[in-house]
Amino acid sequence: MANIGVLIETTDKGDVKKANFGVMTAARGNGGNTVFGLLIGADAAACKDAVQAYGVQKLVPISAAGADLSSSPDLQAKALAEAVKNFDINVLFGLSSSTGKDLLARTAAILNLPLVLDCVGVNLAENIATKFHFAGKTFAKIKIKAERWICGIRPNSMEAKPAACETEILSYAAPVHDTGRMKIREVKKGDSDRIELTEADIIISAGRPIGSAENFKILHDCAKVLGAAVGASRAAVDAGFAPYEMQVGQTGKTVSPKVYIACGISGAVQHFAGMKTSKTIVAINKDPESPIFGKCDYGIVGDLFEVVPELTDALKRG
Ligand SMILES: Cc1cc2nc3c(=O)[nH]c(=O)nc-3n(C[C@H](O)[C@H](O)[C@H](O)COP(=O)(O)OP(=O)(O)OC[C@H]3O[C@@H](n4cnc5c(N)ncnc54)[C@H](O)[C@@H]3O)c2cc1C
């Protein structure tokens, strides 16, 4: 029996991000663990129903007396580290998202604990984490010898299984103070109506041949009908056709949607590293010899400028 913490991420609207539910499922292990949901800058009451459906027994909104935690990730990590000590947490889980990678790494450094990021499997009984290596070419099972450790889970890589419980809200004011050495000056939000890549069940992405930012409209039109998020390869981002926040791959976002539709993407190993855990991969490529056809579940040989609008029309017709 162990105390397991889950750093919970919320949307701009204050809802618990769907990708957390697989993390909570992993945190429960085979049962018998006490799962602490740790919240920073979110309303615990608004999150309670969602987390109690996934077995989070203690929900802890973390604050800091006399300091604004939203002002710096450094301060948030210090507060998180204090919460880990205060609630005697053995393993701290979070998402390997941009927020998770930042906060979990800082917290591990403060507490001097081992950190394993981007895990796609965890065995809590044996303290083993599974993650891909070498841009997804191999995977490693890492045995953590320390009693306490920190683990980032690749978003949506683990199945979310509900297990209802009674959730108790415990507030916690961390004894941290703001040194003022780091301050968030500005947060530039993307289009809040669009589905976040790491949260999406379906993603449709375009590569270099999309040719311009304007041409992404055909993907957005299709995404609207599918309820999908829109991604891009690095070649499309480097060419200025899409912002970096849309990049999927080794140096972009790691995603595990139910369906990933790659349009005009060659299937380079660095792109694949970011989406290979998608449940179903569909490729649209005009070159029948393209490597992506060796890596997808369904392939359509064709010009994306013809196939994508046709797909959108077909979906609209139902
Ligand atoms: C260290 C490092 C990190 C990297 N990180 C990433 C990363 O995070 N993400 C990433 O994506 N890449 C990454 N890359 C780059 C990666 O190696 C590839 O260069 C890149 O993924 C290629 O992008 P692409 O498939 O869009 O373009 P291309 O390689 O140019 O492929 C375009 C494909 O579209 C097809 N095509 C052309 N016209 C059409 C059309 N009209 N309709 C349909 N198909 C068409 C072509 O047949 C081709 O297969 C990284 C590289 C390095 C070295």
Side-chain angles (χ1 to χ4, degrees), residues 13 57 106 110 132 175 206 210 230 250 257 284 289 318:
K13 291 177 186 151
Q57 293 110 316
R106 288 176 189 280
I110 294 166
F132 288 105
I210 193 73
V230 178
Q250 189 183 328
I284 301 168
E289 302 298 322

Side-chain angles (χ1 to χ4, degrees), residues 71-309:
S71 68
S72 108
D74 182 43
L75 200 52
Q76 289 175 14
K78 283 180 183 154
L80 193 55
E82 290 296 334
V84 167
K85 288 193 275 184
N86 184 71
F87 295 103
D88 196 18
I89 285 171
N90 301 84
V91 185
L92 172 65
F93 280 112
L95 288 166
S96 265
S97 58
S98 29
T99 303
K101 284 179 191 163
D102 184 7
L103 279 189
L104 297 178
R106 288 176 189 280
T107 309
I110 294 166
L111 294 172
N112 196 21
L113 294 182
L115 169 74
V116 194
L117 285 175
D118 204 24
C119 296
V120 293
V122 177
N123 177 341
L124 272 179
E126 295 180 40
N127 273 0
I128 290 176
T130 305
K131 63 173 287 180
F132 288 105
H133 272 186
F134 307 116
K137 282 189 178 140
T138 63
F139 67 85
K141 287 193 169 190
I142 298 169
K143 171 88 180 160
I144 295 95
K145 291 187 176 158
E147 275 177 28
R148 292 170 198 276
W149 53 291
I150 298 186
C151 177
I153 306 266
R154 180 180 287 205
N156 299 321
S157 63
M158 293 187 193
E159 194 187 342
K161 295 183 190 151
C165 70
E166 270 301 312
T167 300
E168 184 189 0
I169 297 181
L170 309 169
S171 57
Y172 174 65
V176 293
H177 72 279
D178 191 355
T179 58
R181 290 172 67 197
M182 183 188 283
K183 274 261 172 295
I184 296 176
R185 301 279 297 270
E186 187 187 1
V187 177
K188 287 191 178 167
K189 299 266 181 203
D191 186 340
S192 58
D193 288 340
R194 293 205 178 135
I195 302 168
E196 158 59 18
L197 272 178
T198 52
E199 280 286 282
D201 282 337
I202 308 176
I203 295 174
I204 180 164
S205 293
R208 191 195 318 264
I210 193 73
S212 71
E214 294 69 42
N215 288 345
F216 262 97
K217 183 177 181 311
I218 59 167
L219 267 83
H220 286 298
D221 289 347
C222 189
K224 214 167 160 189
V225 190
L226 281 170
V230 178
S233 74
R234 178 165 165 176
V237 171
D238 285 352
F241 306 152
Y244 172 67
E245 72 207 37
M246 281 170 62
Q247 183 177 317
V248 172
Q250 189 183 328
T251 44
K253 286 187 175 154
T254 307
V255 296
S256 293
K258 290 184 180 146
V259 181
Y260 188 88
I261 309 173
C263 310
I265 292 179
S266 57
V269 65
Q270 295 89 353
H271 187 81
F272 217 65
M275 42 60 84
K276 68 177 285 178
T277 43
S278 305
K279 314 296 173 287
T280 301
I281 298 171
V282 181
I284 301 168
N285 198 300
K286 71 178 186 184
D287 174 9
E289 302 298 322
S290 174
I292 191 111
F293 287 130
K295 300 173 176 176
C296 66
D297 300 286
Y298 298 94
I300 301 169
V301 179
D303 188 323
L304 77 93
F305 293 102
E306 290 167 17
V307 179
V308 175

